[in-house]
Amino acid sequence: MTVRVRIAPSPTGNLHIGTARTAVFNWLFAHHHGGKFILRIEDTDLERSRSEYTDNILAGLRWLGLNWDEGPFFQSQRLDLYKTAVQKLLAQGLAYRCYTTSEELEALREAQKARGEAPRYDNRHRHLTPEQEAAFKAEGRNFVIRFKIDDDREIVWNDLVRDKMVWRGSDLGGDMVIARASEDGIGQPLYNFVVVVDDIDMQITHIIRGEDHIANTAKQILLYEALGAEMPEFAHAPLILNMDGRKLSKRDGVTSISDFQKMGFTAEALVNYMTLLGWSPPDATKEIFTLEAAAKEFSFERVNKAGAKFDWAKLDWLNSQYIHNMPVDKLTDLLIPYWQEAGYQVDGRRERPWLEQLVALIGPSMTRLVDAVEMSKMFFSETVEFSDEGSKQLQQEGSSAVLSGVIAALENQPQLSETAAQDMIKQVVKEQNVKKGLVMRSLRAALTGDVHGPDLIQSWLLLNHLGLDKPRLNQAINS
Ligand code: GLU
C-alpha cells in the first residue's frame, strides 16, 4: 500500500499555526513511508473563502518547505463529483430530502433546551410519503439532503494517536445535512460529506488532522460505509494550547504563519518547533533537526494525546540556534528585506561585503531576524542617538581628550584596519597615560551612542568604511 495523506485547509483565513502543524505531521508521515502528500483547498464555503487566503496558504506551506506531491485541488471545481455521490445515497435510500423549515428547527431546539436536552434533529422527515413531499413542495418549502444516522449505531475506530475511540450514533445530533437545495435540485454539499467524497476519490489512506475533528470522524466513518469505500486510518493530533492551557487563539496575538515570518522567525526554526508540538524525537536531547531528519524517525507512537503548549521561549531559543549557525551570506539575504522594510538603505556605500561584515558582527547576538533592525540602526543612520549612559560616559574626565587623540591618530589612517585600530588605541593610552578602559568606553559612546553593544573594533571598521567615524568623534567632543 502506498501511503497517501493530505492537508485540506479552508481558505477562510491565513495559514494558521494549527493547520501548518497538521501539515507538518502529514508531510513527515508521508516522507517516512515514501508516500504522497496531497494539498486540497476546501473552498466550498463561497461566502467566507477568499483567493488571497489561498495565496497566503500556498506561500506559507512553500516557505516552510512543506512541498506537496499532488494538487492543489479545489473543491469548488469538483461539485459534480459530490452531486453524483449525493444522488447515489438518495437512490440507495441512505439519504433523503428534509423539508423542515428554519422556524420549525428553531422551535425544536427551544423545546429541547427547555427539557434540558442537547439540541438534535428529530429525523421527522425520514419517512415522508411522495404525497407529503409534493405538499411541502407546493407550499414552496426548500429542502436539504440528510444522511440517516441510526441512534443505536456504535462507531469504533482505532485511532493512531488516541487508541480505541467509541462513539454512539445518538451522539451525532440526528440525521446529518450533507447538501443544501438549489434551483435545479442538489445544491451546495457540506463539509463532512465533501471531505469523505474527496478522500475516497484521492485514495487517502491516513487521515491526519487536529483533535477538534474527532466528532467529524465519527460521522465520516458512517459516510465511508454508505459510499462502500475502504476505511482509512485516522490519527488525531493534540491541540496547540497557550501557556495557560487554553486552545491557542486569535487572542494570543500571532496565529498565522505569515505573522511568525514577519516577526523574524526562520522557516527552519518554525517548522522544527512545530514538529515538537505534540511529537518527541526518540532521542529527546536532539531537538534541532531538519524535516527530512525528523521524517526518518516520525511515528504516531511518539505523538502525545495531551495538548501541546506553545512555548515562545523555546521557539526563540530554536530560532537563535538557526540564526547563529547560518552562513553569513544566507543570513544577509534574509535580513535585507527586514532592513528595507525599516527604510534602511542597503545599497550605495553599504555594498554586499560591508553588509556581510555587519551580519557577521550582529548575527551571534540575534534571536529573531527582526532584531537586526534595532541592532544595526546606528550603522544605517548618519548621526547617532545617545543613551543616558552614553552621554554620561562622554562627560567623564579625560573622555574628550582621549577622543581628540583618536581623531589626530586617524589623520594618518585613510583606510582603517583592525590592527591599525588596535595600535591607535594603544598609542592614545600611552600618550595620555590613561586606562585602556577609558579609551574603549569613550570610543564606543562616541561611535555608537551607547556603552554596550557589539565588538567595538568591528563596529568602528564598519563606520569607518562609511566615513561616519570622524564626524561622530567630532560630534561627541563638541556635545
Ligand atoms: N478543511 C478543514 C479545516 O481546515 C480540514 C478538514 C480535514 O482535515 O478533514 O479545518
Side-chain angles (χ1 to χ4, degrees), residues 141-361:
R141 288 191 183 212
N142 265 332
F143 65 85
V144 294
I145 310 291
R146 284 190 189 266
F147 172 70
K148 293 178 184 170
I149 296 180
D150 286 333
D151 274 355
D152 50 10
R153 201 16 241 277
E154 200 179 58
I155 305 152
V156 183
W157 77 93
N158 208 356
D159 198 277
L160 296 178
V161 176
R162 311 183 63 85
D163 306 325
K164 190 175 175 191
M165 302 290 290
V166 183
W167 279 68
R168 301 204 67 82
S170 51
D171 297 332
L172 301 180
D175 293 343
M176 73 191 258
V177 181
I178 57 171
R180 298 193 198 289
S182 74
E183 300 280 305
D184 61 343
I186 296 157
Q188 191 65 30
L190 299 191
Y191 163 72
N192 272 306
F193 184 67
V194 293
V195 163
V196 174
V197 174
D198 275 339
D199 285 339
I200 294 171
D201 185 63
M202 296 174 187
Q203 299 173 349
I204 303 300
T205 56
H206 296 75
I207 312 283
I208 303 164
R209 58 187 169 196
E211 195 186 290
D212 43 339
H213 283 288
I214 288 180
N216 290 329
T217 296
K219 293 177 183 169
Q220 292 179 14
I221 283 175
L222 298 177
L223 286 166
Y224 272 94
E225 288 175 1
L227 292 165
E230 200 179 319
M231 203 62 69
E233 301 275 357
F234 292 93
H236 289 93
L239 296 181
I240 303 175
L241 309 175
N242 63 18
M243 283 313 250
D244 301 331
R246 279 193 292 269
K247 190 177 163 183
L248 195 73
S249 74
K250 286 222 172 75
R251 261 166 291 139
D252 296 297
V254 198
T255 47
S256 74
I257 295 302
S258 41
D259 289 339
F260 283 97
Q261 190 175 3
K262 278 192 212 111
M263 286 173 76
F265 293 103
T266 64
E268 293 85 352
L270 188 56
V271 92
N272 187 155
Y273 182 63
M274 285 192 291
T275 306
L276 294 169
L277 280 174
W279 179 72
S280 49
D283 179 352
T285 61
K286 293 214 177 83
E287 291 191 301
I288 300 183
F289 40 68
T290 60
L291 276 177
E292 287 76 15
K296 288 206 179 88
E297 318 204 273
F298 186 82
S299 78
F300 283 106
E301 267 143 46
R302 304 196 61 82
V303 172
N304 288 329
K305 290 189 184 64
K309 277 200 178 157
F310 194 93
D311 182 348
W312 286 96
K314 177 98 181 245
L315 173 59
D316 271 334
W317 174 78
L318 266 175
N319 204 52
S320 70
Q321 297 306 301
Y322 276 93
I323 290 179
H324 302 167
N325 291 316
M326 202 179 279
V328 167
D329 64 332
K330 183 174 174 202
L331 186 53
T332 308
D333 287 343
L334 292 184
L335 293 182
I336 286 174
Y338 289 89
W339 284 323
Q340 284 171 330
E341 174 76 25
Y344 294 179
Q345 240 186 323
V346 290
D347 46 19
R349 285 182 296 163
R350 296 177 179 87
E351 65 281 88
R352 184 76 191 197
W354 184 89
L355 288 175
E356 291 195 0
Q357 223 173 309
L358 170 61
V359 170
L361 177 66

Side-chain angles (χ1 to χ4, degrees), residues 16 68 78 198 350:
H16 187 272
W68 51 93
R78 298 165 58 82
D198 275 339
R350 296 177 179 87

Side-chain angles (χ1 to χ4, degrees), residues 375-394:
M375 289 169 84
S376 56
K377 199 167 160 191
M378 61 177 160
F379 298 103
F380 285 97
S381 51
E382 294 301 307
T383 52
V384 70
E385 276 172 37
F386 292 101
S387 70
D388 289 349
E389 285 171 303
S391 307
K392 240 188 241 155
Q393 177 59 42
L394 292 175

